[in-house]
Structures are given as structure tokens and as C-alpha cells.
Amino acid sequence: MKTLLIAEHDNKALSPQTAKALTAAKQLGPVDLLVMGYECAAVAQQAAQLQGVEKVLLVEHSELTHQLAESCAETILAMASGYTAIVAAATTTGKNTLPRVAAKLDVMQISEVIEVLDASTFKRPIYAGNAIQTVTSNDSIKVLTVRTSNFEATPSGSECSVESLTLDVQAGPSAHISDQLSVSERPELSSAKVIISGGRALGSADKFQEVILPVADKLGAAVGASRAAVDSGYAPNDWQVGQTGKIVSPDLYIACGISGAIQHLAGMKDSKVIVAINNDEEAPIFQVADYGLVADLFVALPELEAKL
Ligand code: FAD
């Protein structure tokens, strides 16, 4: 019984998602951590410090620079026979690569695991989080993605060995052209401790700037949005929280002018404290809110900013 956990990184630093996925992976048994990339030895050293990792496997190759699904899947498959489980965080990278691994192994993928009951039995949300499914897999090798917002990060503080492997990684059918990254001084939405989100009620991108951003600046918060706000062009796509956006679980989530549709709740209901500001006291968001303020957000938020 041994698990291979796929490390998430940008060739320079290990993503915090890996330490969270490790907490889930360790519940399956001993864990080796696979770092695939190019000129990423520093990442392997960071990974080796996570408590409970047996060893770090480092595969460096220019074809792995951008961690395209085809090359990564081939690399994982080359070493899969030694493992009873292959685990990755359910991020865009994990969700890109692991289905290919599962298909090539001819096993089912178990996606977005939120709880490990035993080495074969897992809980995962379905129907936008409205029901929790318990899945038992008889596959000889389990392929799992883990919803990291449900697991605390494994701390660093130990040191295991790093084993460099030489693999002949072939170019896949797709190629990396360029990255277009949005640059923000604010905390990253998926890992922010405080998030303030705006919905359709904002009415324009200018109002987001005028009303939401000043409070976000005062709180050092990341900014989120409902899909209605994104689709209306009030907020950029990468701010969307929900079933088809980002899954977040900050210490504090402030929803402003968001009704609380199930697809939005699917992305934020695991937040530790939820505050809702809405002028409709019947809005469903109040059913999940710890603190609810029935108010016009255009009055309440400037007042809040002034008080902060
Ligand atoms: P609305 O539902 O229109 O709510 C606006 C709220 O603002 C209302 O409650 C109103 O009372 C309040 N309001 C109005 N004026 C004020 C004011 N002045 N002050 C205070 N409050 C005010 N949605 C997501 O958010 N994320 C997703 O990932 C997502 N994925 C989806 C996937 C699918 C397949 C589908 C079908 C839908 C998805 N949706 C998603 C859309 C979702 O169903 C809702 O349509 C959307 O969340 C509504 O956004 P909203 O709450 O901003 O707008």
C-alpha cells in the first residue's frame, strides 16, 4: 500500500495545495511525492521537508517545463506500477492530468475527495455540493483528486531523501504557447484568509471599484464575484467563486449583493465565518450566513470602510 502524490509547483516554489493534498494522501498509507518539472530541484527540497513524506521523486526534463497533461501523465504512468493510489490536488493542474492517468490505467477517477474513510472508501460532493456521495473503489490502483479546502496543510519540519530519476519524456500532441496571467497585489483568491465578494447587485465594474475594492484594501482581502457579476462584465473571470469558479474556504467570506444560489454556495459554504449583506431578508444567502445584515450595500459598505 503506497501512495504517489503529485506535487503542484511553478518550477520555483511548491504550491500550498500540495501540503493540503498530502494530509489526505497520508490517510491512505505511506506517501512518495513526485515533483515533475524543469530546473525545479528547489521545489523538491521544499517538498522533502513536509512531515510524513517517505521520499521525493524528482523528474526534470525540458518537456515538463509547463507540466502539460500529456507529458505529466506519461511520466506518472511510467512509475504507477509501484503504487496503490495516485493523488493530486483538485486544481486546474490536477484536474488536467489525472483523468488522463485514470483513463490509461483503465480505472475510474474519484474526483474532489473531501474525506478519506479508508484506503478504498471516500466521500465527495455531487449535485453542486447538495449531496455527499460515499464511493468504494475496487480498482487495484486508486486515482484521486482532493478538494484541498477540506484538509489542513501538513506542516514542514522534517527532511526525507530526494531521488532524481532520468526519464525519456516525449513531446505530447499539444505545446505550450504562452501564459497570460493576471497580476494582482491582492491575496490569491483560493488561499486568501479574507474574501469580499460582490454580486449582480453591484450593477457595474465601476461600482465594484468604488464600493468593494476599498473595503478589500482595508481588510487585506481577496476579491470574489458571483457568476452573474462576471457574466455581466462587472468582474474578471478569475474572481468567480462557485461550482464553475473557484472553491474557497477563507476564515471570513463577505458576500455583498449575492442571492446565494446553490452554484455560488458550492464554492464558499465551507468558509469559517460567512457574512452576508443583502437588502432582501428572504435571500437564501442568509441561510448559510453566520452574520446577516439586511441593508443596501451601497450604504453599508462605505460605512464599513469608514469604520475600518
Ligand atoms: P442574483 O441572484 O440576481 O442576486 C442578486 C442579489 O442582490 C439579490 O439577492 C438581491 O436581493 C441583492 N441586492 C440587490 N440590490 C441590492 C443592494 N442595493 N444591496 C444589497 N443587496 C442587493 N453562480 C456563481 O456565483 N458561481 C458559479 O460558479 C456558478 N456556476 C453555475 C453553474 C451552472 C451550471 C449554472 C446553471 C449556474 C451557475 N451559477 C453560478 C449561477 C447561479 O445560479 C446564479 O445565477 C448566480 O450565482 C446569481 O448571482 P448573484 O447572486 O450575484 O445574482
Side-chain angles (χ1 to χ4, degrees), residues 82-153:
Y83 295 93
T84 48
I86 297 172
V87 177
T91 56
T92 44
T93 309
K95 289 196 254 191
N96 197 17
T97 302
L98 280 214
R100 180 171 283 267
V101 173
K104 293 227 166 177
L105 289 170
D106 199 19
V107 299
M108 69 171 179
Q109 173 172 295
I110 304 164
S111 302
E112 305 266 354
V113 168
I114 55 168
E115 196 179 334
V116 177
L117 298 181
D118 61 41
S120 308
T121 315
F122 311 95
K123 285 193 175 183
R124 58 182 296 270
I126 55 171
Y127 301 128
N130 279 313
I132 304 297
Q133 184 179 53
T134 303
V135 186
T136 300
S137 167
N138 296 325
D139 286 326
S140 56
I141 178 160
K142 319 283 188 266
V143 176
L144 320 178
T145 60
V146 171
R147 186 173 282 191
T148 49
S149 56
N150 283 71
F151 296 91
E152 295 293 330

Side-chain angles (χ1 to χ4, degrees), residues 9-49:
H9 64 92
D10 60 0
N11 291 318
K12 296 186 190 79
L14 190 66
S15 158
Q17 309 292 352
T18 303
K20 294 182 180 181
L22 174 60
T23 303
K26 284 196 294 191
Q27 294 171 31
L28 300 167
V31 180
D32 289 347
L33 220 153
L34 172 61
V35 176
M36 296 175 282
Y38 187 54
E39 297 181 338
C40 56
V43 175
Q45 291 305 332
Q46 293 162 33
Q49 288 168 19

Side-chain angles (χ1 to χ4, degrees), residues 199-261:
R200 196 198 307 270
L202 267 299
S204 71
D206 287 345
K207 288 290 175 196
F208 250 89
Q209 299 280 339
E210 268 172 46
V211 185
I212 299 279
L213 299 201
V215 180
D217 289 342
K218 286 266 163 75
L219 291 171
V223 179
S226 71
R227 177 159 157 183
V230 170
D231 286 352
S232 306
Y234 309 159
N237 196 276
D238 58 350
W239 288 5
Q240 186 177 317
V241 170
Q243 183 189 341
T244 43
K246 294 198 170 129
I247 310 284
V248 298
S249 61
D251 294 340
L252 174 61
Y253 187 89
I254 308 173
C256 308
I258 292 178
S259 59

